[in-house]
């Protein structure tokens, strides 16, 4: 198949500045591409907009167990924000799309209503396992969405593996979505995420599940007493019940999010958090880039394999093998 010509950067810049959702989608595809020429173009594009990034945006991470209703909740939350004349972009990182090679219909359909609205942009992305993890490109996509005038950026991740921790590093607030169930279900949620979440939402508080949801809230309030908070605020104020399907309880959550964000802005914490995130991101990605560069050097790869052999055959100790590797690396750097 003939390769399509790559569009010039001016096409993307203009499209994004004009808040064109179609071109924003194309630009995110560029960011997600592994094609080297497209990667370079994507970097230039993100770099162009990074220096002009607006400060008045909200980056909201939505995480929780599979099937808890994250997408349905985002659909309801998004419609609520749009009804208040706000623009919202959703980046849904979908781990299942790796297995099914891009079957992301589920998320698209659950957020179908929202994606039809002019002030909304819904983008499901496969969670591919490239170097740098999922948040590297998600972060770039956030920059582009903000440049295209979206001031509310919502990132959906399923609470498996490290994704929920990674997503917290690129967002201002984290909402944990849970579904009613016994206390055992709640205990199954990793402690780390419990400590990290800013807002807890027990979804599906409707019909026969309502009483279970109320019990779950009670259980959560009890368990919160023993957790150190991310912020020193009382966690009980941050626990909500809602039905995303029937749009009940959503308004209270939106108001609460806005109050928390306002506080973060006023006390300078939002900006401070973002600065810290930038530095953390830089350090992590620089380390990864350096390792990637080193292990792309055939001689060093060979040397590493030889040293592994030496260690296994007890010909050399681990520390000595490291000394030798560093010695060869240093001489290569000064070449
Ligand atoms: N009764 C009820 N069902 C809900 C509610 N919210 C979501 N559901 C249902 O729960 C199922 C899962 O919803 P999703 O929104 O896809 O959940 P999710 O957490 O995004 O799922 P994954 O992305 O696959 O982890 C669907 O069948 C929804 O219709 C709710 O408030 N009440
Ligand atoms: Mg989902």
């Amino acid at each position: 198949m003939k390769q399509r010509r790559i569009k010039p950067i001016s096409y993307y810049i203009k499209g994004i500045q004009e808040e064109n959702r179609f071109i924003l989608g194309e630009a995110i595809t560029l960011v997600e591409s592994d094609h080297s020429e497209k990667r370079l173009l994507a970097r230039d594009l993100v770099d162009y907009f990074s220096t002009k990034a607006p400060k008045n945006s909200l980056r909201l991470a939505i995480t929780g167990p599979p099937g808890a209703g994250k997408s349905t909740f985002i659909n309801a939350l998004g419609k609520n924000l749009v009804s208040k004349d706000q623009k919202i972009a959703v980046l849904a990182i979908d781990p299942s799309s790796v297995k099914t090679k891009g079957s992301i219909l589920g998320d698209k359909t659950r957020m179908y209503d929202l994606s039809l609205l002019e002030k909304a942009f819904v983008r499901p992305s496969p969670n591919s396992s490239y170097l740098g993890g999922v948040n590297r490109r998600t972060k770039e996509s956030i920059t582009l969405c903000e440049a295209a005038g979206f001031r509310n950026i919502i990132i959906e991740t399923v609470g498996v593996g490290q994704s929920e921790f990674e997503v917290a590093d690129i967002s201002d607030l984290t909402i944990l979505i849970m579904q009613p169930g016994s206390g055992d279900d709640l205990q199954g949620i990793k402690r780390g995420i419990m400590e990290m979440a800013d807002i807890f939402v027990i979804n599906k508080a409707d019909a026969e599940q309502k009483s279970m949801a109320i019990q779950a809230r009670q259980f959560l309030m009890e368990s919160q007493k023993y957790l150190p908070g991310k912020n020193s605020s009382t966690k009980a104020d941050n626990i909500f019940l809602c039905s995303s399907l029937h749009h009940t309880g959503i308004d209270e959550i939106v108001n609460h999010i806005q109050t928390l964000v306002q506080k973060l802005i006023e006390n300078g914490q939002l900006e401070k958090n973002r600065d810290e995130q930038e530095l953390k991101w830089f350090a992590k990605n620089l380390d990864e880039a350096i390792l990637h560069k080193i292990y792309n050097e055939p001689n060093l790869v060979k040397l590493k394999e030889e040293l592994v052999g030496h260690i296994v055959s007890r010909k050399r100790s681990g520390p000595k093998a490291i000394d030798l590797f560093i010695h060869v690396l240093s001489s290569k750097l000064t070449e």
Side-chain angles (χ1 to χ4, degrees):
M1 205 172 73
K2 206 171 145 235
Q3 179 106 44
R4 280 226 232 127
R5 232 179 42 137
I6 298 179
K7 290 170 179 147
I9 193 165
S10 55
Y11 167 82
Y12 296 102
I13 291 179
K14 186 163 175 285
I16 289 173
Q17 281 171 337
E18 287 172 354
E19 307 190 357
N20 180 319
R21 284 188 300 171
F22 178 75
I23 298 178
L24 173 62
E26 283 186 302
I28 293 178
T29 304
L30 201 65
V31 159
E32 287 170 352
S33 167
D34 284 322
H35 184 281
S36 58
E37 212 180 318
K38 289 184 183 168
R39 275 305 294 150
L40 283 178
L41 184 59
R43 293 235 174 115
D44 286 344
L45 188 62
V46 171
D47 191 57
Y48 178 87
F49 285 116
S50 292
T51 52
K52 302 167 186 62
K55 292 210 160 48
N56 58 343
S57 66
L58 165 65
R59 301 166 186 171
L60 196 60
I62 309 286
T63 188
K70 298 177 291 298
S71 302
T72 315
F73 174 76
I74 295 171
N75 192 57
L77 179 85
K79 280 165 66 180
N80 186 296
L81 289 169
V82 168
S83 75
K84 294 177 173 138
D85 214 27
Q86 299 202 33
K87 285 181 76 176
I88 153 171
V90 182
L91 302 169
I93 304 162
D94 185 0
S96 58
S97 61
V98 181
K99 284 181 249 138
T100 55
K101 283 261 175 258
S103 157
I104 39 190
L105 215 68
D107 272 317
K108 258 270 195 267
T109 42
R110 298 255 144 76
M111 291 187 257
Y112 186 66
D113 304 3
L114 181 65
S115 62
L116 290 180
L117 302 175
E118 209 184 306
K119 287 189 183 299
F121 173 79
V122 179
R123 171 72 182 214
S125 293
N127 174 6
S128 38
S129 53
Y130 44 73
L131 184 83
V134 73
N135 67 4
R136 179 158 169 178
R137 308 231 183 152
T138 312
K139 197 171 179 318
E140 294 177 359
S141 301
I142 291 174
T143 303
L144 298 183
C145 289
E146 289 177 348
F150 292 94
R151 292 292 172 268
N152 297 282
I153 315 289
I154 304 207
I155 309 131
E156 175 185 347
T157 52
V158 182
V160 289
Q162 283 299 303
S163 64
E164 58 205 5
F165 299 102
E166 287 177 352
V167 81
D169 278 340
I170 52 172
S171 43
D172 305 316
L173 288 177
T174 299
I175 301 188
L176 176 61
I177 308 283
M178 292 163 282
Q179 53 187 342
S182 63
D184 291 352
D185 287 349
L186 293 181
Q187 272 160 354
I189 294 174
K190 280 171 269 171
R191 193 187 155 97
I193 188 70
M194 284 284 197
E195 288 172 16
M196 209 173 56
D198 299 283
I199 300 175
F200 301 82
V201 171
I202 300 161
N203 186 37
K204 307 191 187 181
D206 49 46
E208 66 272 18
Q209 300 195 79
K210 182 139 190 196
S211 58
M212 269 209 302
I214 294 169
Q215 273 175 25
R217 176 169 61 184
Q218 201 51 41
F219 178 83
L220 195 60
M221 281 177 166
E222 287 297 315
S223 60
Q224 289 301 310
K225 286 185 194 155
Y226 308 104
L227 288 178
K230 178 174 170 184
N231 309 310
S232 51
S233 61
T234 43
K235 287 274 187 174
D237 297 341
N238 297 311
I239 302 174
F240 292 85
L241 290 183
C242 82
S243 166
S244 304
L245 213 52
H246 302 293
H247 292 241
T248 53
I250 304 293
D251 228 13
E252 287 88 332
I253 298 172
V254 170
N255 290 340
H256 188 66
I257 293 170
Q258 285 170 343
T259 310
L260 283 188
V261 173
Q262 208 46 46
K263 248 190 239 166
L264 285 177
I265 293 175
E266 278 163 16
N267 65 19
Q269 197 61 40
L270 190 121
E271 209 169 331
K272 197 166 156 254
N273 287 348
R274 285 192 183 180
D275 287 347
E276 280 170 12
Q277 288 174 348
E278 282 299 325
L279 292 179
K280 191 171 169 189
W281 182 92
F282 176 70
K284 178 172 179 273
N285 285 281
L286 180 65
D287 288 354
E288 281 173 4
I290 291 171
L291 286 180
H292 186 68
K293 179 89 187 145
I294 291 173
Y295 291 126
N296 260 347
E297 284 286 325
N299 289 339
L300 291 176
V301 174
K302 209 166 137 241
L303 176 62
K304 186 183 167 195
E305 281 162 9
E306 271 171 32
L307 293 173
V308 168
H310 291 176
I311 291 168
V312 172
S313 64
R314 302 279 188 272
K315 199 171 146 192
R316 213 184 286 272
S317 67
K320 268 285 172 209
I322 291 175
D323 284 349
L324 182 66
F325 189 90
I326 296 299
H327 177 73
V328 175
L329 178 65
S330 311
S331 54
K332 265 189 121 16
L333 288 175
T334 50
E335 258 172 23

